[in-house]
Amino acid sequence: MSDKTMSDTTFIQEKSTLTAIERQYILLTQNGLPIIEQPYHYIAEEMEISVKEVLALTNDMLERGIIRRIAAVPNHYKLGYQYNGMTVWDIDDEQAEKFGDAVGRLPFVSHCYLRPRHLPQWNYNLFAMVHGKKPEEIAKYRGQIKELLKEALVKRNHDSGQQVLTQSNDMLTSTAILKKTGLRLKK
Amino acid sequence: MDNVTVEQKAKNTSTLSASKEKICHEIADLSTLDKSLINLLQHGLPVCERPFEQIANELGSTEAEVILHLNQLKSSRVLSRFGPMFDAVYLGGAFTLAALAVPEEDFDKVTEQVNAFEQIAHNYRRTHRFNMWFVIATEEADEIERVINAIEEKTGLSVLNTPKLKEFYVGLYLPV
């Protein structure tokens, strides 16, 4: 078990360097693109470069993963996806990457991360967020993830009074948004 | 541990103070074109001089119609965002997901204490003994620990820190 090495580490995000022109692109578009006939012309004018350069820069940033995609992000709730569940799983560290990758590929999973356990109060190391239109729907998704992970779930003694080893998982549903702000590149 | 279900939702929601944003939004009334646009544009906007013309051609519509409908979806907040989605790594700074197990009677007070930190980007109430889950976003990595310590001092509760160790590729698609 690699718990010890994982549990106290604060994840240090590698500083990724951007060129001046990439920073300028992010600062200009991080609040969104105007929905007009020629949105890339708008960027070109603002940045005082050619449209050809904007298209090349955009493609380059897409290829390098700086831009994940240029997309419309729907409000889950307004589309009827009123329910979300943060499913959490106690899976074998040796197999965590393989199974985490498989869970991330499920179409109803929006985020999937490995995170450190904090035994004894928190034994879950795989987090997968699911979304649905009904409570039964997210319960079904949780069941599908469980089926996928059944080989990898850790058997643990959850009750010190008894010597029984059991697997565990949970689903934390959100009942209120207490705060929500966007992440922004600072000037 | 397998027994926490969304049935708890109703119970927990009823204890909220009115000032918090509750999770019950009106479901939008969408036209066929709206739905097609939402489905198609979750995957990405083409990188070309007239991207909406290309979208319109794919959907058998016109560029003007597409632009009109998208702007309406944006202003009615069916779309919360339209534009490039940047990998947070490149926006700089450090992030972590953290949680607190807040006694029910202190929940509103602790919410205020935690939300008062400008480094708290998101905060959700969730069904668990750890009932408050928030994202801490800071400009420098070492600031994360300082914020956690300050939250612990302020609330008298111990913070469960679960920074991501590995992120898996996801392709969320919410069909309408």
Side-chain angles (χ1 to χ4, degrees):
Chain A
M1 202 72 61
S2 58
D3 266 352
K4 251 207 147 60
T5 51
M6 287 164 77
S7 60
D8 289 323
T9 337
T10 291
F11 180 71
I12 310 288
Q13 200 100 45
E14 215 173 290
K15 277 255 169 173
S16 302
T17 44
L18 297 166
T19 63
I21 199 159
E22 287 163 352
R23 278 188 69 86
Q24 204 190 342
Y25 188 106
I26 295 175
L27 287 170
L28 179 66
T29 61
Q30 64 185 347
N31 291 321
L33 267 186
I35 302 167
I36 53 177
E37 282 179 13
Q38 301 183 317
Y40 299 105
H41 284 68
Y42 160 81
I43 299 176
E45 275 165 34
E46 292 289 321
M47 290 179 67
E48 298 177 339
I49 57 176
S50 71
V51 180
K52 216 173 144 191
E53 284 171 302
V54 168
L55 296 177
L57 179 61
T58 306
N59 279 321
D60 181 58
M61 289 170 82
L62 277 163
E63 264 166 45
R64 288 159 58 211
I66 300 175
I67 300 176
R68 294 193 157 176
R69 61 191 189 286
I70 299 173
V73 183
N75 175 328
H76 295 173
Y77 302 107
K78 294 226 177 195
L79 297 188
Y81 290 85
Q82 315 259 13
Y83 296 90
N84 74 72
M86 185 171 81
T87 69
V88 291
W89 309 86
D90 185 0
I91 69 167
D92 178 21
D93 287 317
E94 302 282 306
Q95 304 182 79
E97 296 227 356
K98 185 179 104 188
F99 280 92
D101 189 58
V103 171
R105 285 171 193 281
L106 296 170
F108 47 81
V109 170
S110 70
H111 301 82
C112 187
Y113 298 106
L114 280 181
R115 299 184 181 278
R117 295 187 184 86
H118 292 274
L119 295 170
Q121 71 267 40
W122 187 259
N123 62 298
Y124 303 113
N125 59 339
L126 182 73
F127 289 52
M129 191 72 79
V130 299
H131 300 267
K133 295 183 176 181
K134 293 177 184 159
E136 305 84 65
E137 210 176 327
I138 58 173
K140 185 185 77 187
Y141 294 151
R142 179 188 183 184
Q144 288 178 19
I145 298 174
K146 189 177 182 182
E147 184 60 27
L148 197 154
L149 292 178
K150 65 183 174 193
E151 309 278 302
L153 291 171
V154 175
K155 285 187 176 153
R156 227 180 259 284
N157 185 357
H158 291 284
D159 178 355
S160 55
Q162 293 176 31
Q163 292 304 311
V164 188
L165 299 182
T166 51
Q167 298 175 332
S168 67
N169 74 88
D170 209 335
M171 179 159 73
L172 287 66
T173 58
S174 68
T175 51
I177 300 166
L178 306 170
K179 185 174 182 182
K180 192 166 186 181
T181 59
L183 301 172
R184 293 285 179 266
L185 177 69
K186 307 248 165 48
K187 275 180 197 166
Chain B
M1 298 233 182
D2 220 328
N3 59 354
V4 177
T5 66
V6 285
E7 267 78 56
Q8 293 190 358
K9 183 181 159 73
K11 191 178 74 191
N12 287 336
T13 306
S14 62
T15 60
L16 287 173
S17 74
S19 62
K20 307 297 182 299
E21 186 181 349
K22 289 178 193 171
I23 299 187
C24 53
H25 296 249
E26 235 171 85
I27 299 174
D29 193 16
L30 302 170
S31 70
T32 311
L33 178 61
D34 291 334
K35 290 180 183 177
S36 308
L37 284 170
I38 292 168
N39 288 341
L40 193 63
L41 285 174
Q42 285 184 61
H43 298 300
L45 185 75
V47 182
C48 63
E49 295 204 11
R50 303 283 285 266
F52 298 109
E53 188 182 54
Q54 195 172 319
I55 296 284
N57 290 341
E58 279 183 57
L59 297 177
S61 180
T62 65
E63 186 185 38
E65 275 287 297
V66 164
I67 288 173
L68 177 70
H69 278 252
L70 281 175
N71 277 309
Q72 283 167 353
L73 290 170
K74 182 82 199 301
S75 56
S76 61
R77 294 176 63 209
V78 172
L79 296 180
S80 52
R81 225 194 105 78
F82 182 83
M85 308 285 298
F86 296 102
D87 185 332
V89 172
Y90 293 95
L91 301 184
F95 306 93
T96 193
L97 176 71
L100 287 173
V102 184
E104 201 53 46
E105 62 274 20
D106 297 336
F107 199 87
D108 284 355
K109 184 185 80 190
V110 174
T111 300
E112 270 173 41
Q113 290 171 332
V114 170
N115 285 357
F117 288 88
E118 60 168 6
Q119 296 92 341
I120 305 298
H122 302 164
N123 189 2
Y124 287 85
R125 182 181 180 118
R126 293 191 177 278
T127 54
H128 193 272
R129 189 173 75 81
F130 286 104
N131 52 1
M132 186 182 287
W133 288 80
F134 44 91
V135 171
I136 306 174
T138 63
E139 284 186 48
E140 301 297 331
D142 58 3
E143 200 184 335
I144 296 270
E145 204 182 321
R146 288 204 300 275
V147 173
I148 288 176
N149 291 340
I151 290 172
E152 291 188 330
E153 199 170 309
K154 192 108 195 169
T155 63
L157 300 167
S158 107
V159 171
L160 181 77
N161 183 21
T162 62
K164 75 175 175 189
L165 301 170
K166 164 104 188 155
E167 178 176 358
F168 299 103
Y169 172 80
V170 292
L172 176 71
Y173 173 54
L174 302 173
V176 289

